[in-house]
Amino acid sequence: MFGIGGVSRGAKLYLAVLMAFVGIVSCVVVLAYNNYFFLGDPLKPNNDDVKYMQTSRLLLNEGVLAYNTGDKPTAFIMPGLPLILAGFMALFGQEEGGVIAYRLYQCILQVLSIYLIFWLGKRIFNTRTALVACTISAIYLPDYFSSGVILSETTFRTILLLLLCVTIMALDKNTARYYILIGALTAAAAYFKPHASLYPAVFLVLWWRHRLPWRSMLKYALLMIGVYILLLTPWWIRNWLTFHEFILFTNSGGSPFLLGTRIHGQLPPAGFFEAYPQYDPDTLFQGADRMAIQKGIDMIKYGFQHEPLKYLYWFTAGRWVELYFHPFYSRPIWPVTRPVMNVIQIILMIINMLGICRALLKHRWDKLLPLVLALGYFTVIYIPFVAFNRYGYPNMILLILFGSYFVEQLLGYFSKLYNNGFRRRRTVTP
């Protein structure tokens, strides 16, 4: 499906070397650092990763999906990560064996991602850009941190890359099976991060651009929706049987929305608690239900009334900065410290943004549009919610593809200058 025909033998060899390098280094890093990658305390679960481990053990032993509620069932999280981790624990043990197996699984996904990055870079830009993107990804240390941490970001990034690959194939081949696969991949992504569910909406723009007949649009849309509903049905049935109500994804949606209104950990503008005396500064950012949503709406309303520029920045450029200018690198890997990685991330983002500008101005839109829409969708979707480096990490590879295009264009420009200068020197030499 994702063949790389027409690529030179040298390029294929270089790609194979990069994939081997990423696989070996990923495995060495996660095995050598091992539990250094824990963000919380496994004995007293106080962070998402160790809470996921606790949830997976309970799911395996009791058949109960619970998170932050002891052994009582919950719909606070989607079940994707606990199901996979519980599977590894069933095979390799519930202590270190299952955790190490999960980390090695993420190492395999990092290797697969290198191939998908190459395929995307070649299809959207050219082989040289694809190789630059793979090279950057191979030395991008947050990828190795992501392999070691017990979170869903590595899996979700792989699904995102597959979604983009299949999107391009669906437009190219115009056959039903690719749209069935997109429905399946969207459902798979939703089992980790529900905000992926509306991704197929990008096809409205793509179909318009490709002048697809409306009958085909309707057929493909129904296929994607039907497959998505079919695959999410087990989750809805479980929630109905457990809680006797329909829960689309989770019942914690208010929490990320409420936290997304908090600017750099600060309380709302002065006067908010006078205008809304029902809220308490000590408990304002607690809760994940409808009350939390109402709190967030009241804070946004008051903020835009009294500090409009500050809140306008926070919900536009501020989201971009929070998602992408801070590396997903909570456990530094020798020899690169966190401050050094912060600088590298900023430099990389500047290059990526230059690449976006260059591509939008110079590259063919029919090839570029799927990448632009994917990056746009998975960025804009975070505007109402809390946004930070962990959530932006899966999208970084999309930005790196743009940055790699800029680097490739820059290298091509300097190569042309060098060759022209060399020819002139040969012409004037007696």
Side-chain angles (χ1 to χ4, degrees), residues 116-414:
L116 297 176
I117 292 163
F118 179 83
W119 191 91
L120 285 169
K122 179 180 180 297
R123 285 296 297 259
I124 297 171
F125 297 109
N126 53 54
T127 300
R128 294 188 303 276
T129 297
L131 292 174
V132 172
C134 291
T135 303
I136 293 173
S137 185
I139 60 175
Y140 184 61
L141 286 179
D143 283 358
Y144 297 102
F145 164 71
S146 182
S147 296
V149 72
I150 309 300
L151 295 172
S152 62
E153 271 57 42
T154 297
T155 301
F156 182 76
R157 185 183 82 148
T158 306
I159 296 172
L160 172 57
L161 289 170
L162 285 168
L163 262 175
L164 186 51
C165 290
V166 178
T167 296
I168 293 171
M169 291 296 293
L171 294 171
D172 187 41
K173 301 297 184 182
N174 195 27
T175 55
R177 63 174 178 163
Y178 291 105
Y179 290 98
I180 292 172
L181 189 51
I182 286 168
L185 287 169
T186 304
Y191 271 108
F192 295 91
K193 295 183 183 294
H195 68 263
S197 296
L198 295 179
Y199 171 79
V202 304
F203 279 98
L204 296 176
V205 178
L206 294 170
W207 288 335
W208 171 79
R209 176 78 180 182
H210 286 257
R211 303 180 185 277
L212 204 69
W214 71 267
R215 290 182 184 275
S216 296
M217 292 185 191
L218 183 60
K219 180 180 77 172
Y220 295 149
L222 290 174
L223 278 174
M224 289 188 290
I225 294 170
V227 172
Y228 176 88
I229 290 173
L230 180 66
L231 294 178
L232 263 291
T233 297
W235 176 242
W236 297 332
I237 292 174
R238 177 264 181 186
N239 290 337
W240 182 267
L241 294 176
T242 305
F243 305 106
H244 309 294
E245 63 175 314
F246 177 75
I247 300 175
L248 183 60
F249 300 120
T250 69
N251 54 16
S252 63
S255 178
F257 175 73
L258 175 60
L259 293 174
T261 65
R262 191 173 194 177
I263 301 178
H264 300 304
Q266 301 172 3
L267 288 171
F272 173 80
F273 294 103
E274 294 178 9
Y276 296 92
Q278 68 269 34
Y279 300 138
D280 186 309
D282 294 330
T283 60
L284 180 63
F285 293 102
Q286 296 177 8
D289 53 11
R290 294 180 181 87
M291 185 63 185
I293 295 175
Q294 187 57 52
K295 288 180 188 177
I297 292 172
D298 291 339
M299 288 175 61
I300 292 171
K301 188 188 304 181
Y302 189 88
F304 272 101
Q305 287 174 349
H306 294 83
E307 295 183 346
L309 293 180
K310 181 179 180 180
Y311 273 76
L312 180 63
Y313 165 81
W314 183 245
F315 284 99
T316 52
R319 285 290 191 262
W320 182 266
V321 171
E322 294 300 311
L323 283 169
Y324 304 127
F325 273 78
H326 307 292
F328 181 49
Y329 195 60
S330 301
R331 294 290 182 269
I333 300 168
W334 184 88
V336 180
T337 63
R338 178 60 191 255
V340 172
M341 191 65 227
N342 289 343
V343 175
I344 293 172
Q345 183 79 8
I346 292 170
I347 294 171
L348 180 60
M349 277 304 301
I350 291 171
I351 294 171
N352 294 340
M353 292 168 70
L354 289 171
I356 292 173
C357 295
R358 174 75 179 180
L360 292 177
L361 291 173
K362 297 293 185 180
H363 201 61
R364 290 173 52 187
W365 266 93
D366 58 333
K367 288 183 172 292
L368 193 63
L369 194 55
L371 178 60
V372 171
L373 290 175
L375 177 61
Y377 172 81
F378 284 106
T379 300
V380 172
I381 200 70
Y382 278 112
I383 287 178
F385 304 109
V386 62
F388 60 105
N389 54 6
R390 174 180 159 189
Y391 294 164
Y393 165 74
N395 301 343
M396 269 302 297
I397 192 55
L398 306 184
L399 288 159
I400 286 172
L401 282 167
F402 281 108
S404 300
Y405 173 69
F406 179 78
V407 171
E408 185 272 331
Q409 293 280 290
L410 200 61
L411 291 174
Y413 174 75
F414 283 118

